[in-house]
């Protein structure tokens, strides 16, 4: 895995030399440049905007010191947050250079409580004055903390950069012509902070906003050279094999002496570390991680890394960055396939990452031998249940939906089946949750749907993004669809007069039956759309007394139609689809027949005379159907009967026309 990333990054740096300048921007906050003269005195005490400082609000990039802010920040930044402790063991100061001091204003809840800072909950509605006062306290307390850490930071940064104190003369053992400026910078920091507090934009800083103080007197070329030396010196984590100058790196290698359970116990290499890298490779991985951290991002996520395909890697990265907007993986591939008239994408690794508070986390890294963008022939989601939407005060039958690409499947089917929670589309914003935490409180369908997502989302990701056609089989698909419909049954309430008019369930059944053969590796499954249409015609004839139930599937579908009609008879003021659950729990047909018979007894007085004949024809067939049938494989037909248009309500003329 690591070797593929190294090769990929080296190829990008060679083929796109300016990529390290793409999408780079300074931290949100205040950037202040300090001039210290040769005698150690502070020269630019009258700080002027656009000359000595600039404020970046995270949006407006039209600031005069933009390039300076970026360059100085890059020359003083940390390698990883763990490395910051060598400069400040409490990790309050985040710069890693004797030529800068940088920190943010973020306190955790424990620290806030100890310092008397208010912690506002989401439900709180503090006034502007309360927020202003609290933020002022945050800044004041942060300054106290920072000034307490400055002495150690100064000593450690000089030591790490090889600028050591000897015989009272700070730089006598290593000539450094800017020694007076460095000492002047640290000696004046209290005064500098006083002056910075007078800058109007300082009052805007809070939370994760940064204050950067840069010692501008020392040429940036010198700072960059020394920072590069520091990076090479500290790029390894753990022990370095000095002879070969190889070492372990902190880039997803799980090297941690304090957590032995994370180490590679089966490795034959020293201390259980599976692989050590050269200094050159370690720097490459550091560079790759810097590219990953870019905001806005300059590498897509998931990231395809082509095997022996440098030209394709270059095309993908350029296409991603030339779009003007941050492309999703699906939009990136859509443009790639269209631009180069591709039918498939072979031989690449797919790296999926998440950026968390703790850093970058690898969700998945796998080899994809062949990615299929287009499905085998157009797949049509037929409206077999007659789902309808309200248009101009009347219901209009919804149109069939064509699924041509794998991402059409994700956008149409996966979104609908998982209640807009696994794939969420709102106001053209397309969000997926294949790897993040799932909070059932924010999932439509509650715990049942949350559990369904947890159980199958990795398989769905593999099916869509890695073209693993074996990731979902027929039984898995049936379970997904049944449990998804069940989540509606457990929680949905009646919104219209008839039981059948639940559009969400209808859409799911349409997807279930239209994609029924899509996950059948043995090609033995029947065409369910055709089958359900045949059953609707058959039950229509049964309600006219023209035929008997001809099969177990007919019985299940007819039973669903009968139960749907009976549920409409309920006079409950708060009807829910949970009324259907007792029928779904019947393992054998005779138990289902008993339950239906009991319901008929309850509602027989309310059978409308208009529909009585058709009801009686269907009821007699369903309740007298012979055999002790196992209902589990027939539940889909039963549900289809419940949520398809009820033939009992059909008028004689309509029945004649439909036949």
């Amino acid at each position: 895995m690591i070797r593929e990333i190294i090769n990929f990054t080296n190829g990008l740096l060679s083929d796109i030399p300016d990529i390290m300048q793409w999408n780079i921007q300074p931290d949100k906050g205040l950037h202040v440049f300090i001039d210290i003269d040769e005698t150690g005195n502070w020269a630019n005490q009258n700080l002027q905007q656009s000359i000595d400082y600039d404020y970046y609000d995270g949006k407006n990039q039209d600031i005069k010191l933009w390039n300076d802010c970026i360059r100085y920040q890059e020359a003083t930044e940390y390698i990883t947050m763990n490395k910051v402790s060598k400069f400040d063991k409490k990790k309050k100061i985040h710069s890693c250079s004797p030529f800068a001091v940088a920190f943010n204003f973020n306190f955790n809840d424990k620290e806030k409580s100890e310092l008397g800072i208010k912690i506002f909950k989401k439900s709180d509605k503090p006034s502007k004055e309360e927020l202003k006062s609290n933020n002022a306290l945050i800044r004041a307390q942060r300054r106290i903390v920072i000034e307490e850490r400055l002495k150690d930071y100064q000593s450690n940064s000089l030591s790490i950069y090889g600028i050591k104190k000897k015989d009272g003369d700070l730089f006598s053992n290593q000539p450094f012509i800017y020694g007076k400026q460095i000492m002047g910078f640290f000696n004046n920091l209290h005064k500098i902070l006083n002056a910075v507090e007078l800058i109007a934009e300082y009052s805007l800083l809070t939370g994760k906003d940064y204050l950067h103080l840069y010692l501008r007197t020392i040429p940036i070329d010198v700072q960059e050279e020394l920072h590069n030396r520091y990076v090479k010196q500290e790029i390894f984590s753990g022990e370095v094999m000095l002879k070969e100058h190889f070492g372990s790196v902190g880039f997803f290698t799980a090297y941690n002496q304090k957590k032995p359970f994370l180490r590679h116990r089966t490795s034959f290499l020293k201390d259980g570390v599976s692989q050590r890298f050269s200094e050159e490779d370690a720097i490459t991985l550091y560079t790759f991680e810097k590219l990953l951290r870019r905001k806005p991002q300059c590498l897509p996520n998931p990231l395809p890394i082509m095997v022996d395909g440098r030209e394709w890697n270059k095309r993908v990265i350029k296409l991603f960055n030339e779009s003007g907007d941050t492309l999703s993986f699906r939009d990136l591939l859509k443009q790639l396939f269209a631009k180069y008239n591709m039918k498939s994408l072979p031989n690449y690794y797919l790296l999926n990452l998440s950026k968390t508070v703790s850093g970058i986390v690898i969700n998945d890294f796998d080899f994809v031998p062949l990615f299929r963008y287009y499905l085998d022939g157009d797949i049509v989601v037929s409206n077999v249940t007659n789902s309808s939407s309200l248009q101009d005060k009347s219901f209009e039958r919804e149109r069939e939906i064509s699924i041509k690409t794998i991402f059409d499947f994700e956008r149409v089917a996966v979104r609908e089946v998982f209640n807009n929670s696994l794939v969420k589309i709102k106001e053209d914003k397309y969000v997926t949750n294949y790897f993040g935490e799932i909070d059932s409180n924010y999932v439509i369908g509650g715990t049942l749907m949350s559990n369904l997502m947890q159980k199958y989302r990795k398989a769905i990701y593999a099916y869509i993004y890695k073209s693993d056609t074996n990731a979902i089989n027929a039984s898995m698909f049936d379970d997904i669809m049944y449990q998804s419909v069940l989540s509606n049954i457990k929680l949905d309430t009646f919104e219209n007069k008839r039981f059948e008019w639940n559009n969400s369930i209808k859409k799911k059944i349409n997807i279930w039956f239209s994609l029924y053969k899509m996950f059948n590796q043995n090609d033995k499954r029947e065409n369910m759309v055709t089958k359900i249409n045949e059953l609707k015609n058959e039950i229509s004839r049964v309600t006219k007394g023209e035929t008997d139930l001809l099969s177990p599937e007919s019985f299940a579908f007819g039973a669903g139609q009968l139960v749907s009609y009976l549920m409409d008879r309920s006079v409950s003021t708060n009807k829910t689809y949970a009324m259907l659950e007792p029928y779904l729990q019947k393992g054998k047909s005779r138990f289902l027949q008993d339950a239906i018979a009991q319901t008929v007894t309850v509602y027989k007085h309310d059978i409308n005379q208009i529909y009585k004949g058709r009801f009686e024809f269907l009821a007699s067939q369903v309740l007298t159907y012979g055999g002790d049938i196992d209902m589990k494989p027939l539940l889909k037909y039963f549900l289809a009967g419940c949520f398809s248009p009820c033939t009992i309500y059909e008028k004689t003329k309509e029945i004649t026309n439909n036949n």
Side-chain angles (χ1 to χ4, degrees), residues 69 94 135 162 178 258 373 393 508 545 549 615:
C69 291
H94 293 171
N135 289 337
Y178 301 106
K258 295 180 181 179
Y373 179 73
K393 298 183 179 180
K508 290 181 180 181
L549 295 176
F615 169 79

Side-chain angles (χ1 to χ4, degrees), residues 216-251:
R216 184 166 53 184
T217 312
I218 299 177
I220 187 59
D221 292 344
V222 174
Q223 296 193 35
E224 288 172 335
E225 180 184 351
L226 292 175
H227 185 262
N228 288 336
R229 288 186 197 174
Y230 156 70
V231 170
K232 289 182 180 180
Q233 174 184 307
E234 295 291 328
I235 196 63
F236 293 118
S237 61
E239 181 184 357
V240 179
M241 299 170 67
L242 295 177
K243 237 180 183 182
E244 300 85 356
H245 209 57
F246 275 63
S248 59
V249 297
F251 186 82

Side-chain angles (χ1 to χ4, degrees), residues 46-223:
N46 183 24
L47 297 173
Q48 300 180 58
Q49 187 170 13
S50 300
I51 297 175
D52 302 307
Y53 74 87
D54 255 325
Y55 172 73
Y56 177 49
D57 63 1
K59 297 177 182 178
N60 179 27
Q61 299 183 6
D62 188 22
I63 57 177
K64 290 187 178 180
L65 296 178
W66 176 266
N67 292 329
D68 289 338
C69 291
I70 290 173
R71 196 170 178 187
Y72 277 82
Q73 179 179 303
E74 287 266 295
T76 58
E77 70 176 358
Y78 56 80
I79 300 174
T80 66
M81 185 54 74
N82 288 334
K83 301 280 186 184
V84 169
S85 60
K86 287 195 173 184
F87 290 80
D88 173 17
K89 66 180 180 180
K90 293 190 176 180
K91 300 181 183 179
K92 303 302 180 183
I93 299 175
H94 293 171
S95 47
C96 290
S97 167
F99 317 125
V101 172
F103 55 90
N104 64 19
F105 298 81
N106 191 36
F107 289 107
N108 60 40
D109 287 350
K110 181 181 178 183
E111 291 171 330
K112 286 181 178 180
S113 296
E114 292 171 350
L115 296 171
I117 299 170
K118 290 182 180 179
I119 303 172
F120 295 112
K121 300 177 182 178
K122 289 183 178 180
S123 58
D124 294 338
K125 295 182 180 180
S127 66
K128 289 183 179 180
E129 288 303 317
E130 285 179 307
L131 286 174
K132 183 178 179 181
S133 175
N134 205 51
N135 289 337
L137 180 59
I138 288 174
R139 289 189 292 273
Q141 292 292 353
R142 177 56 77 185
R143 176 171 175 178
I144 293 172
V145 170
I146 295 301
E147 293 208 68
E148 288 174 349
R149 304 302 313 144
L150 282 173
K151 186 176 180 180
D152 283 345
Y153 176 80
Q154 176 184 350
S155 174
N156 293 334
S157 60
L158 292 172
S159 175
I160 290 170
Y161 270 63
I163 304 171
K164 300 177 181 178
K165 185 175 182 180
K166 183 179 179 181
D167 300 327
D169 181 359
L170 184 64
F171 304 106
S172 63
N173 71 321
Q174 182 176 335
F176 193 76
I177 61 175
Y178 301 106
K180 297 286 186 181
Q181 287 91 331
I182 294 177
M183 289 308 300
F185 177 62
F186 283 104
N187 290 338
N188 282 283
L189 274 173
H190 183 78
K191 288 172 59 179
I192 291 169
L193 288 170
N194 285 340
V196 169
E197 287 185 353
L198 298 177
I199 296 173
E201 287 82 2
Y202 180 80
S203 64
L204 302 176
L205 301 179
T206 186
K208 295 183 181 180
D209 294 344
Y210 266 89
L211 172 61
H212 283 271
L213 304 174
Y214 306 112
L215 177 54
R216 184 166 53 184
T217 312
I218 299 177
I220 187 59
D221 292 344
V222 174
Q223 296 193 35

Side-chain angles (χ1 to χ4, degrees), residues 9 17 27 81 102 161-162 188 192 257 319 327 335 354 358 367 377 449 463 469 473 499 508 534 555 560 651:
T9 306
D27 289 331
M81 185 54 74
Y161 270 63
N188 282 283
I192 291 169
Q257 293 285 8
L319 182 62
L327 288 178
Q335 292 191 20
S354 289
S358 304
F367 179 68
M449 181 56 70
Y463 185 84
T469 55
N473 59 35
F499 183 87
K508 290 181 180 181
E534 290 173 353
F555 163 76
K651 295 178 181 179

Side-chain angles (χ1 to χ4, degrees), residues 382-433:
S382 299
N383 192 354
V384 68
T385 61
N386 283 20
S387 63
S388 304
S389 57
L390 192 61
Q391 303 287 342
D392 297 327
K393 298 183 179 180
S394 64
F395 283 96
E396 291 188 10
R397 193 175 190 274
E398 295 185 344
R399 298 178 179 178
E400 295 180 335
I401 303 172
S402 178
I403 295 179
K404 297 182 178 180
T405 72
I406 193 64
F407 294 118
D408 288 340
F409 166 73
E410 181 184 53
R411 176 180 53 82
V412 174
V414 178
R415 173 178 175 255
E416 186 67 42
V417 170
F418 290 92
N419 294 343
N420 204 38
S421 295
L422 185 58
V423 175
K424 188 172 185 176
I425 304 175
K426 185 178 181 180
E427 297 176 355
D428 294 330
K429 291 183 179 179
Y430 198 121
V431 180
T432 61
N433 186 14

